[in-house]
Amino acid sequence: MWKGRFSKATADLVQQYGESISYDWRLYKHDIAGSIAHARAQVKAGILTQDEFQQIEAGLRAIEKDIDAGNFDFSIELEDIHMNIESELTKRIGAAGGKLHTARSRNDQVATDTRLYCREEIDTITTQLKELQAALLKKAEQYADAVIPGYTHLQRGQPVTVGHHLLAYVEMFARDIDRLADARKRVNVSPLGSGALAGSTINLDRQQIAEELGFDRVTTNSMDAISDRDYIMELLFDFALVGTHLSRISEDLILWCSSEFSFATLSDAHTTGSSLMPQKKNPDVCEITRGKSGRLYGNLVSLLTAAKGLPLTYNRDLQEDKEPLFDSIDTLKIALAVNAEMIADMTVNVEACEAAASDPMLLATDLADYLVKNGVPFRSAHELVGQAVAVSVESKTPLDKIDLSKISEHYGADANAVFSLETALKARTNPGAPSIENVKAEVARWKQSL
């Protein structure tokens, strides 16, 4: 494609080092769609005849079918998906194919292809996130009133329900969906027509091209348009944050499935055994998911590093955007699919949950609230309950069996009535709190929303 300037062929090692066809082949549908829209605008500008356009469109559609069917030989010598398709098109239809690249560069071509690809994958991942939310929601509804300890610092804190706990992840994934929807607005902008860096003296109708390709608008600065990879970095951050949320729920489930907790059981289909220890049932899906979050982080950092020192405009360093992007998308899509399936098959061991929630220490804060309601300042109430807890620990007597009146006259005869999980949860009626009524209302709201 640059033989007019060079007298010596590109070295084999350089071809191997610089090729991207081994991974950017997956942009072929988007490359073909962009080329057809570009060619249609060339007709309007008088660069192509209608007959030439029809040859180009038919040729590109035929190439697309061949790639779909696996009957296309990609060439490393042609470097990338753009030149592989254009070269094959010219072989098939002749001179008209050689006109296709008029008024565009591979710089704005790849930027267009990548934006179209990202837009499609955002929509796919958004659907998968909603499917994962639906799986969580079904379990939250099933176990809306199954009481478990809530934890801070991995120490028992206050009572919640399994439903409330799972709905926390529904909220996290909802924020992920919102972030992707917001990022999609910045993705869905057409750079085609920006050329290598300064547009072209042959002015095609960029708005027409953008509308045909489903873009909301066109870019307004040609130099920024072809060097911008902000949208990819933003998506890699969004994907990494989804990975964080997947890793957090994985950690919870790993704990819940341990013998020490026994709150949940994963199906045999989503666990593995040990090659040595016959009794083992390992939550490998959760562990792999937890591990893959680091991969998602690494892809983000890789592109941030590649882009941080680049002068305007295009530099070949930007070829390093695709492998992290493709890898993060592939990693996240299978992670979302397998986790949604695993959670749908998960069962909660209600008896074990209830046994853990029966710890009266979970209601220590409720006891402090009881004192506050009887006129004791909270800091004083906190101290008095702390004294009761110390007596309980030292005497190895459950907190609800302590004679609280011996600690302070502020403890009335009704103080021990605080130690009722039903009462404790029923009192937590503020928006966002885990009363069973609130949890069921949230389940209903999310079912309608999803």
Side-chain angles (χ1 to χ4, degrees):
M1 64 191 121
W2 45 66
K3 60 186 178 182
R5 168 65 177 82
F6 288 74
S7 59
K8 192 172 183 179
T10 306
D12 288 346
L13 277 175
V14 173
Q15 288 181 355
Q16 293 176 39
Y17 195 52
E19 67 83 21
S20 59
I21 189 59
S22 60
Y23 50 87
D24 71 10
W25 63 268
R26 70 169 72 193
L27 297 175
Y28 74 93
K29 286 184 180 293
H30 311 291
D31 194 76
I32 287 169
S35 289
I36 291 171
H38 182 74
R40 202 185 311 276
Q42 287 179 320
V43 174
K44 184 177 179 180
I47 303 301
L48 293 177
T49 65
Q50 186 62 35
D51 180 64
E52 288 173 324
F53 169 74
Q54 289 172 351
Q55 291 179 54
I56 288 172
E57 182 177 27
L60 289 172
R61 296 296 185 198
I63 290 170
E64 183 176 21
K65 286 182 180 178
D66 286 346
I67 299 175
D68 284 342
N71 297 326
F72 189 91
D73 293 325
F74 294 108
S75 168
I76 191 174
E77 288 80 11
L78 293 169
E79 287 196 347
D80 56 34
I81 188 61
H82 324 298
M83 293 311 302
N84 269 267
I85 290 175
E86 184 183 322
S87 176
E88 181 63 22
L89 178 67
T90 303
K91 283 182 188 176
R92 294 188 184 192
I93 70 171
K99 293 184 177 183
L100 178 59
H101 206 57
T102 304
R104 77 175 179 184
S105 163
R106 286 191 298 169
N107 294 356
D108 60 347
Q109 193 176 357
V110 69
T112 302
D113 293 358
T114 307
R115 285 175 181 271
L116 289 171
Y117 171 81
C118 286
R119 186 180 71 191
E120 181 178 72
E121 295 299 338
I122 287 170
D123 293 344
T124 299
I125 289 170
T126 297
T127 297
Q128 288 190 288
L129 282 164
K130 290 180 179 179
E131 289 168 353
L132 178 55
Q133 284 182 301
L136 287 164
L137 188 59
K138 188 172 182 179
K139 292 300 172 184
E141 182 176 30
Q142 184 177 356
Y143 300 108
D145 55 358
V147 185
I148 55 170
Y151 295 81
T152 65
H153 310 280
L154 208 54
Q155 305 296 313
R156 290 178 179 174
Q158 294 176 288
V160 294
T161 71
V162 172
H164 192 66
H165 191 115
L166 296 179
L167 285 173
Y169 286 103
V170 175
E171 295 282 348
M172 291 184 206
F173 294 126
R175 293 195 295 274
D176 292 327
I177 290 169
D178 286 346
R179 270 183 288 271
L180 287 172
D182 194 52
R184 194 184 191 281
K185 299 173 188 175
R186 285 175 286 284
V187 167
N188 205 32
V189 183
S190 175
L192 200 55
S194 299
L197 71 97
S200 172
T201 58
I202 300 171
N203 294 311
L204 304 185
D205 188 339
R206 295 188 65 207
Q207 191 61 44
Q208 172 191 314
I209 295 170
E211 289 174 2
E212 180 170 342
L213 294 173
F215 287 114
D216 294 330
R217 57 187 177 88
V218 300
T219 55
T220 55
N221 184 289
S222 61
M223 296 179 76
D224 177 58
I226 58 90
S227 64
D228 173 26
R229 295 298 184 273
D230 291 4
Y231 65 97
I232 298 180
M233 290 181 272
E234 183 177 357
L235 285 178
L236 290 178
F237 168 77
D238 291 344
F239 298 155
L241 194 48
V242 176
T244 300
H245 297 151
L246 286 171
S247 184
R248 292 187 71 182
I249 194 170
S250 295
E251 176 67 11
D252 270 343
L253 293 180
I254 289 166
L255 291 171
W256 283 14
C257 291
S258 67
S259 298
E260 285 70 23
F261 278 73
S262 295
F263 289 175
T265 302
L266 300 176
S267 74
D268 288 355
H270 300 102
T271 51
T272 65
S274 166
S275 62
L276 177 65
M277 297 168 282
Q279 84 281 10
K280 294 295 294 298
K281 184 175 181 179
N282 300 325
D284 280 17
V285 169
C286 298
E287 292 171 8
I288 292 169
T289 300
R290 191 174 56 182
K292 285 187 182 294
S293 63
R295 185 169 180 161
L296 296 172
Y297 300 166
N299 286 334
L300 169 61
V301 173
S302 174
L303 186 52
L304 286 168
T305 304
K308 72 178 179 61
L310 299 184
L312 288 175
T313 53
Y314 185 82
N315 299 272
R316 195 64 178 272
D317 315 48
L318 291 176
Q319 185 169 302
E320 292 299 308
D321 64 348
K322 292 174 199 63
E323 287 181 288
L325 174 66
F326 296 159
D327 183 69
S328 284
I329 286 172
D330 290 346
T331 298
L332 189 57
K333 283 164 70 174
I334 192 169
L336 289 169
V338 72
N339 275 276
E341 187 179 276
M342 178 186 71
I343 287 167
D345 282 353
M346 176 181 74
T347 58
V348 171
N349 306 322
V350 176
E351 295 81 5
C353 294
E354 288 178 348
S358 66
D359 180 359
M361 289 290 192
L362 289 172
L363 298 175
T365 305
D366 294 57
L367 187 59
D369 290 344
Y370 161 85
L371 293 172
V372 168
K373 291 172 184 176
N374 283 282
V376 179
F378 178 76
R379 286 301 171 199
S380 299
H382 189 286
E383 182 179 353
L384 290 174
V385 175
Q387 291 172 9
V389 168
V391 170
S392 171
V393 171
E394 290 168 9
S395 65
K396 298 182 180 179
T397 305
L399 184 60
D400 59 340
K401 305 301 182 185
I402 296 292
D403 185 352
L404 296 172
S405 64
K406 291 182 178 180
I407 295 174
S408 171
E409 71 278 7
H410 293 293
Y411 287 113
D414 59 343
N416 282 72
V418 165
F419 296 103
S420 162
L421 286 173
E422 182 180 355
T423 301
L425 285 172
K426 190 174 290 186
R428 287 168 161 80
T429 57
N430 237 6
S435 72
I436 293 171
E437 291 75 14
N438 275 5
V439 172
K440 290 180 177 179
E442 280 298 289
V443 166
R445 180 180 71 82
W446 275 113
K447 285 175 72 174
Q448 185 175 11
S449 174
L450 288 177

